[in-house]
Amino acid sequence: MEFLVQIDVSMPMELPEEERADLLSRERALGRAYLRDGQIKHVWRVPGGLRNIGVWEAEDATDLHEALAALPLFPWMRIEVTPLARHPITVVGA
Amino acid sequence: MEFLVQIDVSMPMELPEEERADLLSRERALGRAYLRDGQIKHVWRVPGGLRNIGVWEAEDATDLHEALAALPLFPWMRIEVTPLARHPITVVGA
Amino acid sequence: MEFLVQIDVSMPMELPEEERADLLSRERALGRAYLRDGQIKHVWRVPGGLRNIGVWEAEDATDLHEALAALPLFPWMRIEVTPLARHPITVVGA
Amino acid sequence: MEFLVQIDVSMPMELPEEERADLLSRERALGRAYLRDGQIKHVWRVPGGLRNIGVWEAEDATDLHEALAALPLFPWMRIEVTPLARHPITVVGA
Amino acid sequence: MEFLVQIDVSMPMELPEEERADLLSRERALGRAYLRDGQIKHVWRVPGGLRNIGVWEAEDATDLHEALAALPLFPWMRIEVTPLARHPITVVGA
Amino acid sequence: MEFLVQIDVSMPMELPEEERADLLSRERALGRAYLRDGQIKHVWRVPGGLRNIGVWEAEDATDLHEALAALPLFPWMRIEVTPLARHPITVVGA
Amino acid sequence: MEFLVQIDVSMPMELPEEERADLLSRERALGRAYLRDGQIKHVWRVPGGLRNIGVWEAEDATDLHEALAALPLFPWMRIEVTPLARHPITVVGA
Amino acid sequence: MEFLVQIDVSMPMELPEEERADLLSRERALGRAYLRDGQIKHVWRVPGGLRNIGVWEAEDATDLHEALAALPLFPWMRIEVTPLARHPITVVGA
Amino acid sequence: MEFLVQIDVSMPMELPEEERADLLSRERALGRAYLRDGQIKHVWRVPGGLRNIGVWEAEDATDLHEALAALPLFPWMRIEVTPLARHPITVVGA
Amino acid sequence: MEFLVQIDVSMPMELPEEERADLLSRERALGRAYLRDGQIKHVWRVPGGLRNIGVWEAEDATDLHEALAALPLFPWMRIEVTPLARHPITVVGA
């Protein structure tokens, strides 16, 4: 099943800069792995902040939550999840 | 998969009273069928309006949308859907 | 350029049913044409209403507005547009 | 009486990690006890954060507040409570 | 159990004036009965509209909903219900 | 004149625990004094947080503000004040 | 006592134009009388709509509500009332 | 003085189509005159609706309101006005 | 030109008490000067917080911003500005 | 393509004053460069805070995000971006 996932990160400016850089680099590595393995199908940056919008594939909400909670920046994220259904105009022959 | 579904009905006061009564009775009949067949697992009235909160079971968001769109009062409903994941404290042995 | 477009339709229940059916069928035909021609790259139904979320491709905001304003249900739509930027994790070699 | 309880936890990242782990483990232990004893009838994780939605049973709002205020993470929680009434379609013979 | 009930009436200006006056007079009669019988313990007008705030007594949310749904202006009301708990400073000896 | 006063306290978790306990105990003592002297006519706990709803009596808004600003936890409170008018159904003979 | 009163009028475009003109002219006449008699102390137009912000003088909220409810356009108004207290810098010798 | 003016039009679909077309054409004519005479300095369409954002020049808020209230579609507009100040980086030598 | 200015102060509780007291006393001194010189025409305390509502006189938005930015507590203020126009009922002979 | 960009800065009061002054001066230098080079076409201060509204020119959303993310105060900014389309009244001969 697909989900629209909007993520807003509040970078922890109180952490030392190198710890922040390390978090960010581990975040991106896991993001790339998800993209390669199909958990993330599409992802875009929303201009003007550390915000992104993605389309995620997961078996169900439990599976999706596990993938999100594994993100290194998870404790600093505000995440909104919208379940997605098939739209009639995308169905051949409908 | 389970979904929390909040439904808010704006009864179409402009329709003749008997048409409204008929819509409402067909709405309740389908609601009872869903409850019996397990599409609706729990449902409560929110006091103070034609509002209810339910826990629905569906294969995915497409399946859920079809069940909702079949409700006779669907065109007068404002519906909010929240996907639900398993909570760790409900897992035996976790 | 890509845009996230969220569309919420308030079906005009005051119109005669066949006029509504006609509007809806012309709406879907144009939607399918946009999908075939690449103006709409992805589109999903948000369960629980006449709401959809799509990723649109347009040269710029003027071009996008023209495509949206041509939709037969445009006067009954509430539309939100978010410009989308490339996300760093989608860039090869970055 | 039943209540829908939505809980949003802002984990106190400023506390040392082991204090946080201890709070979390005591939180889960009490949650499991409530579930076993029937104060919590159902509980789900909302994907994408430390958020849950539960159906709680309490004699009244005073009794419910006491159960909530006893949770170890209570000072870091934002809690919303909705009273729940019986829905007509759940009443046999109605 | 006590509930704070905030009621906002959108007077149906499309109804003939005498029908409106009749609805209003039946509304006030039932309000006075509730006040005399203790279902409404306190009620105030919020200045600047057909809005009131009241403290209602009911066995539970089901009982409260029945009292509210019986109001003649119920279909034109937007109602918000907040469950009320005992405050520690009102408890003698606490 | 009467006012509905909704108070939401963000307990200063950064203060040492005994300072917090002292603030809370002085807060409750003044609350009890207000209740005894009639500045607070009714007060309830809203379940799920350090939130209360009260009906206060004051000569005017200046008098009310002074009573509120004297509360020991005032700097950590978010307060909303609604002026209350007499409701017609509470007036004998009206 | 003084109140800040913000009024937003939704002109009833469904009424015949001359009825609307009559309502508006009676509205303005009563507004001028209030201004002359001191019930309205100050009033401004908020640019861009039929919105105004005024400072009203009334004995209490009941008295204020009566003055507002007497306005000919009252059924088409959305009104927000904020009680005003004396500000310390306006007090001589404070 | 400059103002940012955001205008959202709810086209009166209940009016006959030719009356709507006439309103729209008179609206555009006055808009063009404002643009030529400098009352409107810049104006853009916000994609996805009858919404525009403009920078208006007026002597003060009274002068601005008169220009806005003269627009033929004014009764169907929701308008938001933000006063604009000079930004330090635009000041030569500052 | 007149502006309605609503100011909400979040007192910096993390500053030492005497620094806070000093900021507050300088704030009030400048407020009194503005009141005497006519930059502030009216000002009221909104009961229940460090919030005030004032009517300010300034040549334009640039002039107003300078007066506001000079306030010692400016960095801890959330300020909302509404431009005010003359209301027709205040115009003699209109 | 043009974008309306609204920027709200929360000055990091926890940083030492000279670091803050340095950030601000580098911020203004880059702002002036953008203005000179045409990335910023117009910019205004919104009175009452460190808020500005600007019209930016960028090839697309990716290009815009890069320009914004290069601002020294970027980590302390809340930014809202609205894509702008050509308005019909600005088109000669339309």
Side-chain angles (χ1 to χ4, degrees):
Chain A
M1 187 181 145
E2 290 171 310
F3 297 88
L4 188 84
V5 176
Q6 314 196 48
I7 298 180
D8 216 315
V9 182
S10 308
M11 268 314 273
M13 300 304 286
E14 70 283 5
L15 292 187
E17 196 170 335
E18 90 199 86
E19 208 170 316
R20 266 190 350 244
D22 173 61
L23 273 168
L24 206 57
S25 115
R26 289 193 291 120
E27 180 75 26
R28 298 221 159 139
L30 187 53
R32 280 203 174 86
Y34 281 173
L35 203 57
R36 192 187 54 227
D37 300 349
Q39 276 127 308
I40 297 180
K41 295 176 80 170
H42 310 281
V43 65
W44 300 269
R45 160 76 65 230
V46 180
L50 289 173
R51 266 173 290 165
N52 68 67
I53 290 182
V55 176
W56 294 59
E57 173 77 42
E59 222 170 300
D60 55 21
T62 303
D63 185 32
L64 175 69
H65 182 71
E66 270 156 33
L68 291 167
L71 293 169
L73 285 171
F74 181 71
W76 295 278
M77 287 174 167
R78 204 162 43 80
I79 301 178
E80 248 178 274
V81 172
T82 309
L84 296 173
R86 219 171 31 238
H87 193 283
I89 66 168
T90 64
V91 181
V92 179
Chain B
M1 186 182 146
E2 290 170 312
F3 297 89
L4 189 83
V5 177
Q6 315 196 46
I7 298 180
D8 215 314
V9 183
S10 307
M11 267 315 273
M13 299 305 285
E14 71 283 5
L15 291 186
E17 196 169 336
E18 90 199 86
E19 208 171 314
R20 268 192 346 246
D22 173 60
L23 274 168
L24 206 57
S25 114
R26 288 193 292 122
E27 180 75 26
R28 297 218 160 144
L30 187 52
R32 281 204 173 85
Y34 280 173
L35 204 56
R36 192 188 51 228
D37 300 349
Q39 278 126 308
I40 298 180
K41 295 176 80 170
H42 309 281
V43 64
W44 299 269
R45 160 77 65 230
V46 180
L50 290 173
R51 267 174 288 165
N52 68 66
I53 290 181
V55 177
W56 294 59
E57 173 78 43
E59 222 169 302
D60 55 21
T62 303
D63 185 32
L64 176 69
H65 182 71
E66 270 155 33
L68 290 167
L71 293 169
L73 285 171
F74 181 72
W76 295 277
M77 286 174 168
R78 204 160 45 79
I79 301 179
E80 248 179 274
V81 171
T82 308
L84 296 173
R86 221 174 23 241
H87 193 283
I89 66 169
T90 63
V91 181
V92 180
Chain C
M1 186 181 146
E2 291 171 310
F3 297 89
L4 188 84
V5 177
Q6 315 196 46
I7 298 180
D8 215 314
V9 184
S10 307
M11 268 312 274
M13 299 305 285
E14 70 284 4
L15 291 186
E17 195 169 336
E18 90 198 87
E19 208 171 314
R20 260 181 6 234
D22 173 60
L23 273 168
L24 206 57
S25 115
R26 288 192 292 122
E27 180 73 26
R28 297 219 160 142
L30 186 52
R32 281 204 174 84
Y34 281 173
L35 203 57
R36 192 187 53 227
D37 301 348
Q39 278 127 307
I40 298 181
K41 295 175 79 171
H42 309 282
V43 64
W44 299 269
R45 160 76 66 230
V46 180
L50 289 173
R51 267 173 288 166
N52 68 66
I53 290 182
V55 177
W56 295 59
E57 173 77 42
E59 223 169 300
D60 55 20
T62 303
D63 186 33
L64 175 70
H65 183 72
E66 270 156 33
L68 290 167
L71 293 169
L73 285 171
F74 182 71
W76 295 277
M77 286 173 168
R78 204 161 45 80
I79 300 178
E80 248 178 275
V81 171
T82 308
L84 296 174
R86 219 171 30 238
H87 192 282
I89 65 168
T90 65
V91 181
V92 179
Chain D
M1 186 181 146
E2 289 171 311
F3 297 88
L4 188 83
V5 177
Q6 314 195 47
I7 298 180
D8 215 315
V9 183
S10 307
M11 267 315 273
M13 299 306 285
E14 71 283 4
L15 291 186
E17 197 170 333
E18 92 199 83
E19 208 171 316
R20 266 191 349 246
D22 172 60
L23 273 167
L24 206 59
S25 115
R26 288 193 291 122
E27 180 74 26
R28 298 220 158 140
L30 187 52
R32 281 205 174 84
Y34 281 173
L35 203 58
R36 193 188 52 228
D37 300 349
Q39 276 127 308
I40 297 180
K41 295 175 78 169
H42 309 282
V43 65
W44 300 269
R45 160 77 65 230
V46 180
L50 290 173
R51 267 173 288 165
N52 69 65
I53 291 182
V55 177
W56 294 59
E57 172 78 43
E59 222 169 301
D60 55 20
T62 303
D63 185 32
L64 176 70
H65 183 71
E66 269 156 34
L68 290 167
L71 293 168
L73 285 171
F74 181 71
W76 295 278
M77 287 174 167
R78 204 162 45 80
I79 300 178
E80 248 179 275
V81 172
T82 308
L84 296 173
R86 217 170 31 237
H87 191 283
I89 66 168
T90 64
V91 181
V92 180
Chain E
M1 185 181 146
E2 290 171 312
F3 297 89
L4 188 83
V5 177
Q6 315 196 45
I7 297 180
D8 215 313
V9 183
S10 306
M11 267 315 272
M13 299 305 285
E14 71 283 4
L15 290 187
E17 197 170 334
E18 92 199 84
E19 208 170 315
R20 272 198 336 253
D22 174 60
L23 273 168
L24 206 58
S25 114
R26 288 192 291 122
E27 179 75 27
R28 299 222 158 141
L30 187 53
R32 281 204 173 84
Y34 281 172
L35 203 56
R36 192 188 52 227
D37 301 348
Q39 276 126 308
I40 298 179
K41 295 177 79 170
H42 310 282
V43 63
W44 300 269
R45 160 76 65 230
V46 180
L50 289 173
R51 268 174 288 165
N52 68 66
I53 290 181
V55 177
W56 294 60
E57 172 76 43
E59 222 168 301
D60 55 21
T62 303
D63 185 33
L64 175 70
H65 182 71
E66 269 156 33
L68 290 167
L71 293 168
L73 285 171
F74 181 71
W76 294 277
M77 287 174 168
R78 205 160 45 78
I79 302 178
E80 249 179 273
V81 172
T82 309
L84 296 173
R86 221 174 22 240
H87 192 284
I89 66 168
T90 64
V91 182
V92 180
Chain F
M1 186 181 146
E2 290 170 311
F3 297 88
L4 187 83
V5 177
Q6 315 195 45
I7 298 179
D8 215 314
V9 183
S10 307
M11 268 314 273
M13 299 305 286
E14 72 282 3
L15 291 186
E17 197 171 333
E18 92 199 84
E19 209 170 313
R20 268 194 344 250
D22 173 60
L23 274 167
L24 206 59
S25 114
R26 288 193 291 121
E27 179 75 26
R28 298 223 158 138
L30 187 53
R32 283 207 171 82
Y34 281 173
L35 203 58
R36 191 189 53 227
D37 301 349
Q39 277 127 308
I40 297 179
K41 295 177 78 170
H42 310 283
V43 64
W44 299 270
R45 161 77 65 230
V46 180
L50 289 173
R51 268 173 289 165
N52 68 65
I53 290 181
V55 177
W56 293 59
E57 173 77 42
E59 222 169 302
D60 55 21
T62 303
D63 185 33
L64 175 70
H65 182 72
E66 270 156 34
L68 290 167
L71 293 168
L73 284 171
F74 181 71
W76 295 277
M77 286 174 167
R78 206 161 43 80
I79 301 178
E80 249 179 274
V81 172
T82 308
L84 296 174
R86 217 173 28 239
H87 192 283
I89 66 168
T90 63
V91 182
V92 179
Chain G
M1 186 182 146
E2 290 170 312
F3 297 89
L4 187 83
V5 177
Q6 315 196 44
I7 297 180
D8 214 314
V9 183
S10 307
M11 268 314 274
M13 299 305 285
E14 71 283 5
L15 290 186
E17 197 170 333
E18 90 198 85
E19 207 171 317
R20 272 198 335 253
D22 173 61
L23 274 168
L24 206 58
S25 114
R26 289 193 290 122
E27 180 74 27
R28 298 222 158 138
L30 186 53
R32 282 206 173 82
Y34 282 173
L35 204 56
R36 192 188 54 227
D37 301 349
Q39 278 126 309
I40 297 178
K41 296 177 78 169
H42 311 282
V43 63
W44 299 269
R45 160 76 66 229
V46 180
L50 290 173
R51 268 173 289 166
N52 68 65
I53 290 181
V55 177
W56 294 59
E57 173 77 43
E59 221 169 301
D60 56 22
T62 303
D63 185 33
L64 175 70
H65 182 72
E66 270 156 32
L68 290 167
L71 293 169
L73 284 171
F74 181 71
W76 294 277
M77 287 173 168
R78 204 159 46 79
I79 301 177
E80 249 179 274
V81 172
T82 308
L84 296 173
R86 218 172 29 239
H87 192 283
I89 66 169
T90 64
V91 181
V92 180
Chain H
M1 187 182 146
E2 290 171 310
F3 297 89
L4 187 84
V5 177
Q6 314 196 47
I7 298 181
D8 215 314
V9 183
S10 307
M11 268 312 275
M13 299 305 285
E14 70 283 4
L15 291 186
E17 196 170 334
E18 89 197 88
E19 207 170 317
R20 269 194 342 248
D22 173 60
L23 273 168
L24 206 57
S25 114
R26 288 193 290 122
E27 180 74 26
R28 298 219 159 141
L30 187 52
R32 282 206 174 82
Y34 281 173
L35 203 57
R36 193 188 52 227
D37 301 348
Q39 278 127 307
I40 297 180
K41 295 176 79 170
H42 309 283
V43 65
W44 299 269
R45 161 75 65 231
V46 180
L50 291 173
R51 267 173 289 167
N52 68 65
I53 290 181
V55 177
W56 294 59
E57 173 76 43
E59 221 169 302
D60 56 20
T62 303
D63 185 33
L64 175 70
H65 182 72
E66 270 156 32
L68 290 168
L71 293 168
L73 284 171
F74 182 71
W76 294 277
M77 286 174 167
R78 203 160 45 81
I79 300 178
E80 248 177 276
V81 172
T82 307
L84 296 173
R86 218 171 31 238
H87 192 282
I89 66 169
T90 64
V91 181
V92 180
Chain I
M1 187 182 145
E2 290 170 312
F3 296 89
L4 188 83
V5 177
Q6 315 196 45
I7 297 179
D8 215 314
V9 183
S10 307
M11 268 314 272
M13 300 304 286
E14 71 283 4
L15 291 187
E17 197 169 335
E18 92 199 85
E19 209 171 313
R20 272 199 335 255
D22 173 60
L23 274 167
L24 206 58
S25 113
R26 288 193 292 122
E27 179 75 27
R28 299 222 158 138
L30 186 53
R32 282 206 172 81
Y34 281 173
L35 203 57
R36 192 188 53 227
D37 300 348
Q39 277 127 308
I40 297 179
K41 295 177 78 169
H42 310 282
V43 64
W44 300 269
R45 161 77 64 230
V46 180
L50 289 174
R51 268 174 289 166
N52 68 66
I53 290 180
V55 177
W56 293 59
E57 172 77 42
E59 221 169 302
D60 55 21
T62 303
D63 185 33
L64 175 69
H65 182 71
E66 270 156 33
L68 291 167
L71 293 168
L73 284 171
F74 182 71
W76 295 277
M77 287 175 167
R78 206 162 42 80
I79 301 178
E80 249 179 274
V81 171
T82 308
L84 296 173
R86 220 174 26 241
H87 193 282
I89 65 169
T90 63
V91 181
V92 179
Chain J
M1 185 182 146
E2 290 170 311
F3 296 89
L4 187 83
V5 177
Q6 315 196 46
I7 297 180
D8 215 315
V9 183
S10 306
M11 268 315 270
M13 300 305 286
E14 71 283 5
L15 291 187
E17 196 168 338
E18 93 199 83
E19 208 171 315
R20 267 192 346 246
D22 173 61
L23 273 168
L24 207 57
S25 115
R26 288 192 292 122
E27 179 75 26
R28 298 222 159 139
L30 187 53
R32 280 204 174 85
Y34 281 172
L35 204 57
R36 191 187 55 227
D37 301 348
Q39 277 126 307
I40 297 180
K41 296 176 79 170
H42 310 281
V43 64
W44 299 270
R45 161 75 65 230
V46 180
L50 288 174
R51 266 173 290 166
N52 67 66
I53 290 181
V55 176
W56 293 59
E57 173 76 43
E59 221 169 302
D60 56 21
T62 303
D63 185 33
L64 175 69
H65 182 71
E66 270 156 33
L68 290 167
L71 294 168
L73 285 171
F74 181 71
W76 294 277
M77 287 174 167
R78 205 161 43 81
I79 301 178
E80 248 179 274
V81 172
T82 308
L84 295 173
R86 221 174 25 241
H87 193 282
I89 66 169
T90 64
V91 181
V92 179

